[in-house]
Amino acid sequence: MKTKAFPEANLPQDIQEKADRMNLEEAELPPYSPLPIPFTPEMSAAERSAARTKTLDTFAHELYGEIPPRCEKLEFVLRSSGTAFNGTAERREIDIICAGNGISHTLHMLLYIPVKRNGKVPCFLGLNFTGNHATTFDPEVTYFPFVRRVHASPWLNDGRAEEHQRGTKAGRWDFEQAVNAGFASATICMFDACPDYPDGLTESILNMFYSREELTSSSRKTAAISAWVWGLMRGVDALETVAEIDSRKIIVHGLSRQGKTAIWAGANDPRIAMTVSVCSGTCGAKMSRRYFGENMEWLDQWRKYWFVPSFENFVGKDTDMPFDQQQLMSVIAPRLLYVASASNDPYADPAGEHLATVMASRAWGKDGLPTNSAFPEPSSGQGENAVRYYLRDGEHACTPENWSDIIKFAAKHFL
């Protein structure tokens, strides 16, 4: 019997029919032809630069949209500081005040720096889903009140945490493990850059660069993922001003939709020394042409505002996509790439994420994963040089097990 998608969700019949058009059976996988990556280490610097530009232009035009430039005014203001985790970390809250076109937005950064350190330290940076206070049990982290949006579809509701939900996502961040290993770690709530609901674009940082008419147009040039990337870039700007941080060793990471964001950020911003994608799936680290798990039709149904409208040209045409994610991932070379999947996360297609990582590895040559790399067993990884893939046993999440392996890989290169 064909596996039913989202059996617990009680979806309306028309939406369930779309969900069930996902393929969740390896035996039903249709034939597909993987696309080659745009460049290899043997190419000249000029050839690589041209291929990189062409690849980024394609993904910007067809999928993620353009990333706006740095805003007219940018200011970094220390909101608070103190110690945390039994004195092992210094906590700083930094307001990143962005202004342009007569509009101002503030991105609230939470940063932990290890107290014991020898010189400047590497730093993790990622966007969180539910508010800085939800990423840690630290009672001194500021809770920022918000007006919750309720959507007709509960799948599109504002998922931020209330004040009493402090620490509910702490396992996803595991700041203490990072600090104890010698890393700083920072986060910003993704809603500060762009609210994650259908009309969020007009309330986002994008309104410093585009009119409301442009952002609601069927031909708009940007989307939520590029707004989130813009937020990450301003986070990098802020970290470059922190004396204790080694700005040559900034590691951008993300889970799920923020894994997609991390890859797009890593491909575009050469200041990012290591890109980490966890369970990012379709339009993230998964090969689109491998028709398994979440497909273009479902993303169009569920979160079309993550992408530019031209994305809809590929709905129902996954196996014929004229570009694919391994091509984008290869643009990150020669900087570090880390991709993680979960064994019980069929919608993200772990095998498709592994395959894309292996194919992208050709851009790193001998420092990438071997072309004959087999899909690993759960709770194991592949690659110790510039590219690593890790498969965790479990469901869609980022856990302390993930952090243990991510930190081990980053420490080998940065400590």
Side-chain angles (χ1 to χ4, degrees), residues 354-409:
H354 177 260
L355 181 58
T357 307
V358 171
M359 290 203 66
S361 286
R362 296 174 185 176
W364 283 266
K366 61 181 177 58
D367 290 329
L369 297 183
T371 56
N372 62 350
S373 297
F375 190 54
E377 293 295 320
S379 296
S380 67
Q382 298 170 340
E384 300 295 335
N385 296 320
V387 180
R388 182 163 176 80
Y389 177 85
Y390 187 82
L391 180 66
R392 177 178 50 78
D393 189 16
E395 299 181 344
H396 189 79
C398 183
T399 72
E401 178 185 333
N402 285 116
W403 276 108
S404 179
D405 196 73
I406 293 167
I407 289 169
K408 181 180 177 181
F409 181 73

Side-chain angles (χ1 to χ4, degrees), residues 37-40 43-60 67 229 233 263-272 275 327-335 363:
I37 62 170
F39 52 73
T40 63
M43 295 170 68
S44 69
E47 288 172 329
R48 288 174 63 88
S49 178
R52 180 179 187 274
T53 298
K54 181 178 180 180
T55 301
L56 292 178
D57 285 349
T58 296
F59 278 86
I67 302 169
V229 167
M233 288 179 170
I263 290 173
W264 186 226
N268 278 277
D269 194 336
R271 298 175 299 172
I272 296 170
T275 299
Q327 297 177 317
L328 179 62
M329 293 155 67
S330 71
V331 169
I332 294 169
R335 292 166 292 128

Side-chain angles (χ1 to χ4, degrees), residues 38-86:
F39 52 73
T40 63
E42 293 75 28
M43 295 170 68
S44 69
E47 288 172 329
R48 288 174 63 88
S49 178
R52 180 179 187 274
T53 298
K54 181 178 180 180
T55 301
L56 292 178
D57 285 349
T58 296
F59 278 86
H61 184 263
E62 303 289 2
L63 198 61
Y64 304 114
E66 60 190 21
I67 302 169
R70 184 166 165 156
C71 50
E72 295 172 10
K73 296 181 180 179
L74 194 61
E75 185 180 4
F76 311 112
V77 177
L78 182 64
R79 170 178 287 270
S80 72
S81 63
T83 58
F85 312 140
N86 297 315

Side-chain angles (χ1 to χ4, degrees), residues 85 89-94 109-114 121-127 132 135-136 141 170 172-188 235 239 242 244-245 249-253 403 406-407:
F85 312 140
E90 179 182 349
R91 177 203 332 101
R92 295 183 194 172
E93 293 183 299
I94 301 170
M109 174 183 280
L110 170 64
L111 170 64
Y112 289 107
I113 303 170
V121 296
C123 187
F124 290 103
L125 170 65
L127 301 184
N132 293 350
T135 66
T136 175
V141 173
R172 285 186 179 179
W173 293 85
D174 209 347
F175 291 123
E176 288 187 73
Q177 185 176 174
V179 165
N180 290 338
F183 291 84
S185 193
T187 189
I188 298 166
L239 292 174
V242 178
E244 295 87 350
I245 301 299
K249 299 176 180 178
I250 292 175
I251 306 155
V252 165
H253 64 94
W403 276 108
I406 293 167
I407 289 169

